[in-house]
Amino acid sequence: MKHAINTICFTAVSLLLCEGTAFAQTVSPQLPSTDSVPAAHIHDLNPVVITGTGTYHRSDDSPVAVKVITAKELKDLQVASLQEALSRLTTSVTTHTNGMGTFVNFNGVSDDYIVILENGKRVSGDDRWNRLSMDNVKRIEIFSGAASALYGSDALAGVINIITDDSHSPVTASSSTRFLSHGRLDQDINVDVNTEKFSSRTSYTHHQADNWQVNHYQAFDEDGTEVLKLTGRPMSPGFHSNNISEKLEWRFDDRWSVYLRGSYYDYVTDRPQSATYFTQKKTKVTVPEGSPEGYSYAYTAKQAYTYDLHHRSYTYGGGARFTPNSHIHIYLDVYSDNFSSDYDYWQTAEEEAYDETRKRTHYVNETLRGIFRLADWNKLTAGAEFVQESLNSESDGIDFEKTNTYNLFAQDELKIVKGLEAVVGVRYTQNDHFGAAFTPNAGLFYHIGGFRLRASYAGGYRTPTLSQLYATDQAKTTARYTLYNTELKPEKNHFFNVNAEYSNKWMSVSVTGFINKIRDMINYRTMTQEEIAADATLLALQDEGWKTIRQRDNIDRATLRGVSASLKFILPYGFTIGGGYTFTDSKAETQSLDTKTQQYVTTESPVDKSVRHVGTVLASWDKTWKNYHLNISINGHIQGERYSSTYGYADGISQWDITTRHTVKLRHFTLEPGLGVENVFNQRDTSPWNSNFSTINPGRSIIASMRMVY
């Protein structure tokens, strides 16, 4: 009841302060007619974008540079996941895999500093990359830069917004299926129903894969000599997942509409229960007097896994739109994301099967936003946002913790003189744990003819997660104990960006330079013996046998400098070629404890998981014969060495794919069979298990797909 009263009061105050909101992703302004312009030029070179400012612009006219991946590019390459789309079609994104799964790196920093949106709604949860269907995506918008002023906490590196394609036909149904080696199957089904006043949009997505290994060995180090032993642990663990979502919308008239939406996601790993690995025991051997000391080594086979990971999430929400006239758009959106992760332990000879809660999170977002066209030269976005997050975790010792965040924000787009525009914004944040903060942004946009020049500055703000504040961790194999720290500070950054572009009907070229300075980054700090001796609790932990006692603290900072370039040409006879390159120079500074001197020293290294050189190449050919259309595409992703603070550098890697898409238009159906080759040159990383893999691709594979649209 208390929460409901707080929410009502907060919403009422927001209305008075901001006079309403428009959730920009659902606003449908009148765009200029494109009937006389070839569709390829509109969609490929000058698409509509929204993420940079929260308001609609053609890409050429956007005050903020936004990279767009089009629906055609996704379908031509037969992309089945968001991670795959970003790594194959941009140079800003790389992926890496370790024992905990596959993670994304964006412009040199981890995905903890990225906000992911679906039609403007934040996607949360540990598996947020895997819950999004690529079959009905209209475009993916990628904004590089701090964006906390508009999108709140976590947006220190950028924002990725997936815009879905909502059909307006009475009934539209589509099914997409893709097969690859090692049991990889991707299935998407979408059904849209529309009447004059009502629409229903239903989506179902299924993904699965088998376990696979590239190297069947794990490495031990015997006095500097690498020894290989067999392991049954897979490089990539098998899994299966299902996601179903529904959105219902009622349009009462041109001014009012409401919607409801919900989804359910289920993901389970399928790790081999019979997999084993070897542990190493080193024993000193008695040798004759005067001879060098010797050692013997014993290897014991043990069960590799005792459980599967089981992730589930369900979301629900709704909203309303009120557009009293063409100058005012008011939107209210309420959204809840509920995520849980469990350990599903298997039945063994010693005990029965059981589940243990690893994590449960609850995320609530209530947003009120308005877009007001105050004059032909002035457009104001203003609103208020309430966010509540809660967490409980048996494995981390967290019974229940929560935090509330209240936000007010405003952003103004100004046309100063012909060809010169400005964007200025600020967000005020009040958090239960961390108090108040302001995050600003400002940018200038100059354009003349086909030339565009943009310069911007933005501040970023990221509150520590509830896990970072309250979780404890006990690693018994390494005798390491991690303490919680409720005194953590928010992480902040300064992001500077300069962009220059030129485009016409047939080509576009863009060059961007950026500097990202992040401070108060959270990492693990080892406690000194003096700190342990002065605290009875820490001393008791040491007496119990914990050799290393540490806690999370704001001890890191990072500076990233980079430049990226991209170009695209639409040539005669159906040819399109393009590519991109990003260079990122990163430096991380961290405080580490010298265990001998018990003094902290500052060490420097590249940012963890960063890659200095990334490039992409894309070439395609399109040809139509009456009811048949053919597309042939070649895609290459090339990246240099990737740094790991734990394992050192992973080798550079390149992957090239060839795909063909055949579109056959029948009376009521469109069929799109596809055939191609993934990893044409069979590039694999054959390092032993648990290495810093440059790629986990299993090798060359045939891609077979079928898409049907009614």
Side-chain angles (χ1 to χ4, degrees), residues 49-77:
V49 295
I50 189 173
T51 308
T53 62
T55 57
Y56 280 90
H57 295 275
R58 285 290 180 193
S59 179
D60 286 354
D61 301 323
S62 173
V64 178
V66 178
K67 161 72 176 176
V68 176
I69 298 175
T70 66
K72 182 180 185 303
E73 291 172 328
L74 297 173
K75 290 180 172 58
D76 287 348
L77 296 182

PDB file of all heavy atoms in Angstrom, residues 49-77:
ATOM      1  N   VAL A  49      15.837   7.421 -37.208  1.00  0.00           N
ATOM      2  CA  VAL A  49      16.484   7.058 -35.950  1.00  0.00           C
ATOM      3  C   VAL A  49      15.830   7.834 -34.818  1.00  0.00           C
ATOM      4  O   VAL A  49      15.239   8.891 -35.023  1.00  0.00           O
ATOM      5  CB  VAL A  49      18.004   7.349 -35.978  1.00  0.00           C
ATOM      6  CG1 VAL A  49      18.703   6.485 -37.000  1.00  0.00           C
ATOM      7  CG2 VAL A  49      18.277   8.823 -36.238  1.00  0.00           C
ATOM      8  N   ILE A  50      15.957   7.283 -33.618  1.00  0.00           N
ATOM      9  CA  ILE A  50      15.296   7.897 -32.477  1.00  0.00           C
ATOM     10  C   ILE A  50      16.131   7.870 -31.208  1.00  0.00           C
ATOM     11  O   ILE A  50      15.979   8.694 -30.317  1.00  0.00           O
ATOM     12  CB  ILE A  50      13.947   7.189 -32.228  1.00  0.00           C
ATOM     13  CG1 ILE A  50      13.118   7.937 -31.195  1.00  0.00           C
ATOM     14  CG2 ILE A  50      14.178   5.751 -31.796  1.00  0.00           C
ATOM     15  CD1 ILE A  50      11.727   7.401 -31.040  1.00  0.00           C
ATOM     16  N   THR A  51      17.080   6.937 -31.108  1.00  0.00           N
ATOM     17  CA  THR A  51      17.750   6.653 -29.847  1.00  0.00           C
ATOM     18  C   THR A  51      18.609   7.805 -29.350  1.00  0.00           C
ATOM     19  O   THR A  51      18.692   8.063 -28.150  1.00  0.00           O
ATOM     20  CB  THR A  51      18.606   5.377 -29.989  1.00  0.00           C
ATOM     21  OG1 THR A  51      17.784   4.330 -30.507  1.00  0.00           O
ATOM     22  CG2 THR A  51      19.182   4.962 -28.661  1.00  0.00           C
ATOM     23  N   GLY A  52      19.279   8.526 -30.242  1.00  0.00           N
ATOM     24  CA  GLY A  52      20.199   9.568 -29.813  1.00  0.00           C
ATOM     25  C   GLY A  52      19.548  10.695 -29.040  1.00  0.00           C
ATOM     26  O   GLY A  52      20.113  11.211 -28.071  1.00  0.00           O
ATOM     27  N   THR A  53      18.336  11.106 -29.449  1.00  0.00           N
ATOM     28  CA  THR A  53      17.656  12.241 -28.813  1.00  0.00           C
ATOM     29  C   THR A  53      16.332  11.865 -28.172  1.00  0.00           C
ATOM     30  O   THR A  53      15.750  12.680 -27.448  1.00  0.00           O
ATOM     31  CB  THR A  53      17.381  13.341 -29.855  1.00  0.00           C
ATOM     32  OG1 THR A  53      16.513  12.812 -30.876  1.00  0.00           O
ATOM     33  CG2 THR A  53      18.671  13.824 -30.490  1.00  0.00           C
ATOM     34  N   GLY A  54      15.831  10.651 -28.448  1.00  0.00           N
ATOM     35  CA  GLY A  54      14.511  10.284 -27.956  1.00  0.00           C
ATOM     36  C   GLY A  54      13.385  10.805 -28.818  1.00  0.00           C
ATOM     37  O   GLY A  54      12.213  10.620 -28.497  1.00  0.00           O
ATOM     38  N   THR A  55      13.705  11.467 -29.939  1.00  0.00           N
ATOM     39  CA  THR A  55      12.705  11.983 -30.869  1.00  0.00           C
ATOM     40  C   THR A  55      13.068  11.539 -32.284  1.00  0.00           C
ATOM     41  O   THR A  55      14.231  11.255 -32.579  1.00  0.00           O
ATOM     42  CB  THR A  55      12.638  13.515 -30.813  1.00  0.00           C
ATOM     43  OG1 THR A  55      13.938  14.054 -31.091  1.00  0.00           O
ATOM     44  CG2 THR A  55      12.173  13.989 -29.449  1.00  0.00           C
ATOM     45  N   TYR A  56      12.083  11.520 -33.160  1.00  0.00           N
ATOM     46  CA  TYR A  56      12.296  11.019 -34.511  1.00  0.00           C
ATOM     47  C   TYR A  56      13.080  11.991 -35.380  1.00  0.00           C
ATOM     48  O   TYR A  56      12.809  13.195 -35.398  1.00  0.00           O
ATOM     49  CB  TYR A  56      10.949  10.733 -35.185  1.00  0.00           C
ATOM     50  CG  TYR A  56      10.323   9.425 -34.798  1.00  0.00           C
ATOM     51  CD1 TYR A  56       9.463   9.344 -33.714  1.00  0.00           C
ATOM     52  CD2 TYR A  56      10.587   8.263 -35.514  1.00  0.00           C
ATOM     53  CE1 TYR A  56       8.877   8.148 -33.338  1.00  0.00           C
ATOM     54  CE2 TYR A  56      10.016   7.066 -35.158  1.00  0.00           C
ATOM     55  CZ  TYR A  56       9.158   7.007 -34.071  1.00  0.00           C
ATOM     56  OH  TYR A  56       8.595   5.822 -33.712  1.00  0.00           O
ATOM     57  N   HIS A  57      14.051  11.439 -36.115  1.00  0.00           N
ATOM     58  CA  HIS A  57      14.814  12.185 -37.116  1.00  0.00           C
ATOM     59  C   HIS A  57      15.197  11.228 -38.233  1.00  0.00           C
ATOM     60  O   HIS A  57      15.401  10.033 -37.997  1.00  0.00           O
ATOM     61  CB  HIS A  57      16.108  12.765 -36.530  1.00  0.00           C
ATOM     62  CG  HIS A  57      15.913  13.802 -35.476  1.00  0.00           C
ATOM     63  ND1 HIS A  57      15.706  15.131 -35.767  1.00  0.00           N
ATOM     64  CD2 HIS A  57      15.889  13.706 -34.120  1.00  0.00           C
ATOM     65  CE1 HIS A  57      15.568  15.809 -34.647  1.00  0.00           C
ATOM     66  NE2 HIS A  57      15.675  14.969 -33.630  1.00  0.00           N
ATOM     67  N   ARG A  58      15.318  11.744 -39.436  1.00  0.00           N
ATOM     68  CA  ARG A  58      16.066  11.022 -40.435  1.00  0.00           C
ATOM     69  C   ARG A  58      17.538  11.030 -40.012  1.00  0.00           C
ATOM     70  O   ARG A  58      18.004  11.973 -39.377  1.00  0.00           O
ATOM     71  CB  ARG A  58      15.906  11.658 -41.820  1.00  0.00           C
ATOM     72  CG  ARG A  58      14.562  11.396 -42.469  1.00  0.00           C
ATOM     73  CD  ARG A  58      14.431   9.953 -42.881  1.00  0.00           C
ATOM     74  NE  ARG A  58      13.136   9.678 -43.514  1.00  0.00           N
ATOM     75  CZ  ARG A  58      12.692   8.458 -43.738  1.00  0.00           C
ATOM     76  NH1 ARG A  58      13.429   7.416 -43.393  1.00  0.00           N
ATOM     77  NH2 ARG A  58      11.516   8.268 -44.312  1.00  0.00           N
ATOM     78  N   SER A  59      18.263   9.981 -40.356  1.00  0.00           N
ATOM     79  CA  SER A  59      19.650   9.859 -39.932  1.00  0.00           C
ATOM     80  C   SER A  59      20.468  11.084 -40.328  1.00  0.00           C
ATOM     81  O   SER A  59      21.284  11.586 -39.553  1.00  0.00           O
ATOM     82  CB  SER A  59      20.268   8.593 -40.531  1.00  0.00           C
ATOM     83  OG  SER A  59      21.613   8.463 -40.160  1.00  0.00           O
ATOM     84  N   ASP A  60      20.228  11.601 -41.552  1.00  0.00           N
ATOM     85  CA  ASP A  60      20.963  12.780 -42.013  1.00  0.00           C
ATOM     86  C   ASP A  60      20.692  14.009 -41.149  1.00  0.00           C
ATOM     87  O   ASP A  60      21.542  14.902 -41.046  1.00  0.00           O
ATOM     88  CB  ASP A  60      20.594  13.103 -43.462  1.00  0.00           C
ATOM     89  CG  ASP A  60      21.218  12.117 -44.436  1.00  0.00           C
ATOM     90  OD1 ASP A  60      22.022  11.275 -43.988  1.00  0.00           O
ATOM     91  OD2 ASP A  60      20.896  12.199 -45.631  1.00  0.00           O
ATOM     92  N   ASP A  61      19.512  14.078 -40.543  1.00  0.00           N
ATOM     93  CA  ASP A  61      19.113  15.264 -39.793  1.00  0.00           C
ATOM     94  C   ASP A  61      19.234  15.093 -38.283  1.00  0.00           C
ATOM     95  O   ASP A  61      18.867  15.991 -37.529  1.00  0.00           O
ATOM     96  CB  ASP A  61      17.657  15.627 -40.126  1.00  0.00           C
ATOM     97  CG  ASP A  61      17.468  15.901 -41.613  1.00  0.00           C
ATOM     98  OD1 ASP A  61      18.393  16.480 -42.214  1.00  0.00           O
ATOM     99  OD2 ASP A  61      16.412  15.527 -42.170  1.00  0.00           O
ATOM    100  N   SER A  62      19.729  13.949 -37.826  1.00  0.00           N
ATOM    101  CA  SER A  62      19.825  13.705 -36.388  1.00  0.00           C
ATOM    102  C   SER A  62      20.955  14.519 -35.776  1.00  0.00           C
ATOM    103  O   SER A  62      22.096  14.473 -36.262  1.00  0.00           O
ATOM    104  CB  SER A  62      20.070  12.217 -36.116  1.00  0.00           C
ATOM    105  OG  SER A  62      20.315  12.003 -34.740  1.00  0.00           O
ATOM    106  N   PRO A  63      20.682  15.276 -34.711  1.00  0.00           N
ATOM    107  CA  PRO A  63      21.754  16.040 -34.066  1.00  0.00           C
ATOM    108  C   PRO A  63      22.827  15.158 -33.441  1.00  0.00           C
ATOM    109  O   PRO A  63      23.928  15.617 -33.158  1.00  0.00           O
ATOM    110  CB  PRO A  63      21.012  16.841 -32.981  1.00  0.00           C
ATOM    111  CG  PRO A  63      19.582  16.831 -33.396  1.00  0.00           C
ATOM    112  CD  PRO A  63      19.372  15.544 -34.105  1.00  0.00           C
ATOM    113  N   VAL A  64      22.494  13.873 -33.220  1.00  0.00           N
ATOM    114  CA  VAL A  64      23.420  12.924 -32.599  1.00  0.00           C
ATOM    115  C   VAL A  64      23.636  11.762 -33.565  1.00  0.00           C
ATOM    116  O   VAL A  64      22.685  11.245 -34.152  1.00  0.00           O
ATOM    117  CB  VAL A  64      22.862  12.408 -31.259  1.00  0.00           C
ATOM    118  CG1 VAL A  64      23.806  11.385 -30.642  1.00  0.00           C
ATOM    119  CG2 VAL A  64      22.636  13.565 -30.295  1.00  0.00           C
ATOM    120  N   ALA A  65      24.892  11.345 -33.735  1.00  0.00           N
ATOM    121  CA  ALA A  65      25.197  10.245 -34.650  1.00  0.00           C
ATOM    122  C   ALA A  65      24.701   8.926 -34.079  1.00  0.00           C
ATOM    123  O   ALA A  65      24.982   8.586 -32.922  1.00  0.00           O
ATOM    124  CB  ALA A  65      26.698  10.171 -34.904  1.00  0.00           C
ATOM    125  N   VAL A  66      23.971   8.170 -34.902  1.00  0.00           N
ATOM    126  CA  VAL A  66      23.436   6.868 -34.507  1.00  0.00           C
ATOM    127  C   VAL A  66      23.716   5.875 -35.625  1.00  0.00           C
ATOM    128  O   VAL A  66      23.374   6.120 -36.777  1.00  0.00           O
ATOM    129  CB  VAL A  66      21.918   6.941 -34.223  1.00  0.00           C
ATOM    130  CG1 VAL A  66      21.380   5.555 -33.871  1.00  0.00           C
ATOM    131  CG2 VAL A  66      21.629   7.924 -33.096  1.00  0.00           C
ATOM    132  N   LYS A  67      24.328   4.752 -35.280  1.00  0.00           N
ATOM    133  CA  LYS A  67      24.566   3.674 -36.235  1.00  0.00           C
ATOM    134  C   LYS A  67      23.304   2.822 -36.336  1.00  0.00           C
ATOM    135  O   LYS A  67      22.677   2.498 -35.326  1.00  0.00           O
ATOM    136  CB  LYS A  67      25.742   2.826 -35.761  1.00  0.00           C
ATOM    137  CG  LYS A  67      25.844   1.436 -36.373  1.00  0.00           C
ATOM    138  CD  LYS A  67      26.283   1.463 -37.817  1.00  0.00           C
ATOM    139  CE  LYS A  67      26.467   0.035 -38.351  1.00  0.00           C
ATOM    140  NZ  LYS A  67      26.806   0.004 -39.780  1.00  0.00           N
ATOM    141  N   VAL A  68      22.926   2.444 -37.565  1.00  0.00           N
ATOM    142  CA  VAL A  68      21.705   1.666 -37.781  1.00  0.00           C
ATOM    143  C   VAL A  68      22.034   0.363 -38.501  1.00  0.00           C
ATOM    144  O   VAL A  68      22.740   0.361 -39.513  1.00  0.00           O
ATOM    145  CB  VAL A  68      20.668   2.465 -38.596  1.00  0.00           C
ATOM    146  CG1 VAL A  68      19.446   1.605 -38.905  1.00  0.00           C
ATOM    147  CG2 VAL A  68      20.247   3.717 -37.837  1.00  0.00           C
ATOM    148  N   ILE A  69      21.531  -0.734 -37.969  1.00  0.00           N
ATOM    149  CA  ILE A  69      21.532  -2.022 -38.656  1.00  0.00           C
ATOM    150  C   ILE A  69      20.115  -2.246 -39.169  1.00  0.00           C
ATOM    151  O   ILE A  69      19.157  -2.238 -38.401  1.00  0.00           O
ATOM    152  CB  ILE A  69      21.938  -3.165 -37.717  1.00  0.00           C
ATOM    153  CG1 ILE A  69      23.359  -2.938 -37.200  1.00  0.00           C
ATOM    154  CG2 ILE A  69      21.850  -4.510 -38.429  1.00  0.00           C
ATOM    155  CD1 ILE A  69      23.800  -3.968 -36.171  1.00  0.00           C
ATOM    156  N   THR A  70      19.964  -2.439 -40.472  1.00  0.00           N
ATOM    157  CA  THR A  70      18.639  -2.521 -41.073  1.00  0.00           C
ATOM    158  C   THR A  70      18.103  -3.945 -41.048  1.00  0.00           C
ATOM    159  O   THR A  70      18.852  -4.922 -40.900  1.00  0.00           O
ATOM    160  CB  THR A  70      18.675  -2.024 -42.528  1.00  0.00           C
ATOM    161  OG1 THR A  70      19.480  -2.937 -43.308  1.00  0.00           O
ATOM    162  CG2 THR A  70      19.268  -0.627 -42.610  1.00  0.00           C
ATOM    163  N   ALA A  71      16.781  -4.060 -41.228  1.00  0.00           N
ATOM    164  CA  ALA A  71      16.137  -5.372 -41.302  1.00  0.00           C
ATOM    165  C   ALA A  71      16.669  -6.180 -42.480  1.00  0.00           C
ATOM    166  O   ALA A  71      16.836  -7.398 -42.388  1.00  0.00           O
ATOM    167  CB  ALA A  71      14.624  -5.202 -41.406  1.00  0.00           C
ATOM    168  N   LYS A  72      16.947  -5.501 -43.592  1.00  0.00           N
ATOM    169  CA  LYS A  72      17.475  -6.201 -44.764  1.00  0.00           C
ATOM    170  C   LYS A  72      18.829  -6.841 -44.455  1.00  0.00           C
ATOM    171  O   LYS A  72      19.088  -7.988 -44.837  1.00  0.00           O
ATOM    172  CB  LYS A  72      17.603  -5.249 -45.948  1.00  0.00           C
ATOM    173  CG  LYS A  72      18.099  -5.913 -47.236  1.00  0.00           C
ATOM    174  CD  LYS A  72      18.214  -4.918 -48.365  1.00  0.00           C
ATOM    175  CE  LYS A  72      18.601  -5.617 -49.676  1.00  0.00           C
ATOM    176  NZ  LYS A  72      19.861  -6.373 -49.572  1.00  0.00           N
ATOM    177  N   GLU A  73      19.704  -6.111 -43.759  1.00  0.00           N
ATOM    178  CA  GLU A  73      21.010  -6.673 -43.403  1.00  0.00           C
ATOM    179  C   GLU A  73      20.852  -7.886 -42.497  1.00  0.00           C
ATOM    180  O   GLU A  73      21.559  -8.897 -42.661  1.00  0.00           O
ATOM    181  CB  GLU A  73      21.860  -5.604 -42.727  1.00  0.00           C
ATOM    182  CG  GLU A  73      22.298  -4.493 -43.669  1.00  0.00           C
ATOM    183  CD  GLU A  73      22.975  -3.344 -42.954  1.00  0.00           C
ATOM    184  OE1 GLU A  73      22.616  -3.069 -41.784  1.00  0.00           O
ATOM    185  OE2 GLU A  73      23.852  -2.706 -43.559  1.00  0.00           O
ATOM    186  N   LEU A  74      19.936  -7.830 -41.542  1.00  0.00           N
ATOM    187  CA  LEU A  74      19.711  -8.951 -40.639  1.00  0.00           C
ATOM    188  C   LEU A  74      19.211 -10.177 -41.391  1.00  0.00           C
ATOM    189  O   LEU A  74      19.663 -11.307 -41.142  1.00  0.00           O
ATOM    190  CB  LEU A  74      18.707  -8.560 -39.557  1.00  0.00           C
ATOM    191  CG  LEU A  74      19.118  -7.434 -38.601  1.00  0.00           C
ATOM    192  CD1 LEU A  74      17.955  -7.046 -37.708  1.00  0.00           C
ATOM    193  CD2 LEU A  74      20.324  -7.850 -37.763  1.00  0.00           C
ATOM    194  N   LYS A  75      18.267  -9.967 -42.313  1.00  0.00           N
ATOM    195  CA  LYS A  75      17.705 -11.093 -43.056  1.00  0.00           C
ATOM    196  C   LYS A  75      18.694 -11.638 -44.089  1.00  0.00           C
ATOM    197  O   LYS A  75      18.771 -12.856 -44.301  1.00  0.00           O
ATOM    198  CB  LYS A  75      16.391 -10.678 -43.719  1.00  0.00           C
ATOM    199  CG  LYS A  75      15.251 -10.463 -42.727  1.00  0.00           C
ATOM    200  CD  LYS A  75      13.969 -10.054 -43.416  1.00  0.00           C
ATOM    201  CE  LYS A  75      12.802 -10.041 -42.438  1.00  0.00           C
ATOM    202  NZ  LYS A  75      13.006  -9.135 -41.294  1.00  0.00           N
ATOM    203  N   ASP A  76      19.442 -10.748 -44.744  1.00  0.00           N
ATOM    204  CA  ASP A  76      20.415 -11.219 -45.733  1.00  0.00           C
ATOM    205  C   ASP A  76      21.469 -12.121 -45.097  1.00  0.00           C
ATOM    206  O   ASP A  76      21.885 -13.118 -45.689  1.00  0.00           O
ATOM    207  CB  ASP A  76      21.099 -10.032 -46.418  1.00  0.00           C
ATOM    208  CG  ASP A  76      20.181  -9.306 -47.391  1.00  0.00           C
ATOM    209  OD1 ASP A  76      19.106  -9.846 -47.710  1.00  0.00           O
ATOM    210  OD2 ASP A  76      20.541  -8.192 -47.824  1.00  0.00           O
ATOM    211  N   LEU A  77      21.906 -11.768 -43.888  1.00  0.00           N
ATOM    212  CA  LEU A  77      22.927 -12.565 -43.208  1.00  0.00           C
ATOM    213  C   LEU A  77      22.328 -13.663 -42.340  1.00  0.00           C
ATOM    214  O   LEU A  77      23.064 -14.414 -41.704  1.00  0.00           O
ATOM    215  CB  LEU A  77      23.811 -11.663 -42.351  1.00  0.00           C
ATOM    216  CG  LEU A  77      24.645 -10.625 -43.103  1.00  0.00           C
ATOM    217  CD1 LEU A  77      25.519  -9.841 -42.136  1.00  0.00           C
ATOM    218  CD2 LEU A  77      25.512 -11.282 -44.161  1.00  0.00           C
TER     219      LEU A  77
END
